[in-house]
């Protein structure tokens, strides 16, 4: 199983970079910048090419204000990316996985943009847990018991990306009175995807701490 660690470089990305934290998302034709159910444009957290899924491009967005964890059944229901939104009344996060598009006209205004680099790595799996840290592939470092989801299309989901616990994304100074923003309140996030790629939003965040 391929595994890559994700390094955050201390330099801003160039327009058109595929692996970035913040910056300009590579949106597909006809795709608009995701908005939360509250109407606010979501924060663009990061994007990465996924080498073991045909180079498809993962993008991660979430509302700057609505950031609780989301929890779903292991058999995910139809259109879970839009319909499983508890504790809120609508979608507040958006993941996308499909071929990379073109850079959005504007960069994300919240985050201090950084270039990301993937490094092929190895890991030792102990007690069903892989290495900690920001990574693609391999085995999640599960803070609790492993959670294996099944997509609404009937396909078992595969683990794609891990964001470590309390991973603060630096905001531009003086924005909204905060210095960092967190995905799902800073819980550890294990992003799983439907390997059949039945829909560009067929991804799910397993969330633990
Ligand atoms: Zn919101
Ligand atoms: Zn599916």
């Amino acid at each position: 199983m391929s595994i890559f660690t994700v390094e955050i470089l201390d330099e801003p990305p160039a327009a058109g970079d595929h692996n970035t934290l913040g910056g300009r998302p590579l949106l597909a034709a006809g795709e608009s910048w995701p908005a939360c159910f509250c109407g606010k444009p979501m924060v663009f957290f990061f994007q990465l090419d996924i080498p073991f899924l045909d180079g498809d491009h993962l993008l991660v967005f979430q509302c700057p204000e609505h950031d609780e964890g989301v929890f779903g059944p292991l058999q995910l229901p139809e259109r879970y990316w839009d319909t499983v939104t508890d504790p809120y009344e609508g979608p507040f996060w958006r993941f996308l996985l499909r071929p990379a598009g073109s850079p959005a006209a504007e960069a994300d205004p919240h985050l201090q943009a950084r270039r990301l680099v993937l490094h092929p790595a190895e890991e030792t799996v102990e007690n069903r847990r892989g290495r900690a840290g920001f990574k693609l592939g391999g085995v999640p470092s599960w803070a609790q018991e492993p959670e294996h989801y099944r997509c609404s299309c009937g396909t078992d989901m595969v683990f794609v990306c891990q964001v470590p616990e309390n991973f603060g994304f630096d905001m531009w100074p003086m924005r909204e009175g905060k210095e960092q923003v967190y995905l799902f309140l800073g819980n550890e996030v294990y992003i799983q995807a439907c390997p059949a790629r039945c829909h560009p939003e067929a991804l799910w965040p397993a969330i633990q701490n």
Side-chain angles (χ1 to χ4, degrees):
M1 178 70 188
S2 301
I3 169 169
F4 299 83
T5 56
V6 184
E7 182 188 3
I8 303 172
L9 297 187
D10 205 18
E11 63 189 47
D17 274 2
H18 280 221
N19 299 324
T20 75
L21 188 158
R24 295 169 66 182
L26 300 179
L27 298 175
E31 244 171 33
S32 50
W33 194 291
C36 180
F37 74 92
C38 72
K40 276 196 164 64
M42 293 188 190
V43 177
F44 169 48
F45 280 82
F46 64 89
Q47 61 189 346
L48 290 164
D49 285 340
I50 309 298
F52 48 86
L53 287 176
D54 305 327
D56 270 6
H57 193 67
L58 170 72
L59 300 102
V60 172
F61 297 83
Q62 182 204 265
C63 180
E65 293 194 2
H66 296 105
D67 59 358
E68 293 274 350
V70 63
F71 302 94
L74 293 178
Q75 170 62 68
L76 292 162
E78 287 298 314
R79 295 192 65 83
Y80 46 94
W81 49 89
D82 280 333
T83 57
V84 183
T85 63
D86 190 55
Y88 303 119
E89 61 258 42
F92 60 100
W93 52 277
R94 178 64 71 221
F95 300 162
L96 295 163
L97 182 68
R98 73 287 179 279
S102 314
E106 306 284 335
D108 175 85
H110 303 87
L111 296 185
Q112 194 126 40
R114 288 285 178 258
R115 182 172 264 166
L116 300 177
V117 188
L118 299 181
H119 299 287
E122 295 183 1
E123 70 181 355
T124 304
V125 177
E126 285 181 52
N127 193 21
R128 296 178 296 158
R129 287 159 176 84
R131 64 189 288 164
F134 195 7
K135 70 177 185 181
L136 294 182
V139 177
S141 65
W142 302 117
Q144 299 173 34
E145 286 303 303
E147 295 175 26
H148 299 291
Y149 289 87
R150 179 169 293 160
C151 184
S152 53
C153 76
T155 309
D156 287 335
M157 300 185 82
V158 296
F159 169 65
V160 175
C161 178
Q162 171 171 292
V163 180
E165 192 167 8
N166 294 321
F167 189 80
F169 292 80
D170 291 340
M171 302 187 79
W172 292 111
M174 308 306 287
R175 296 277 170 151
E176 300 172 30
K178 296 192 281 191
E179 292 181 349
Q180 290 195 316
V181 63
Y182 294 90
L183 269 176
F184 303 110
L185 287 179
N187 283 288
E188 192 144 274
V189 183
Y190 316 101
I191 299 174
Q192 306 193 9
C194 173
R197 276 160 284 173
C198 61
H199 190 282
E201 295 167 40
L203 297 125
W204 181 255
I207 294 171
Q208 298 187 351
N209 62 38

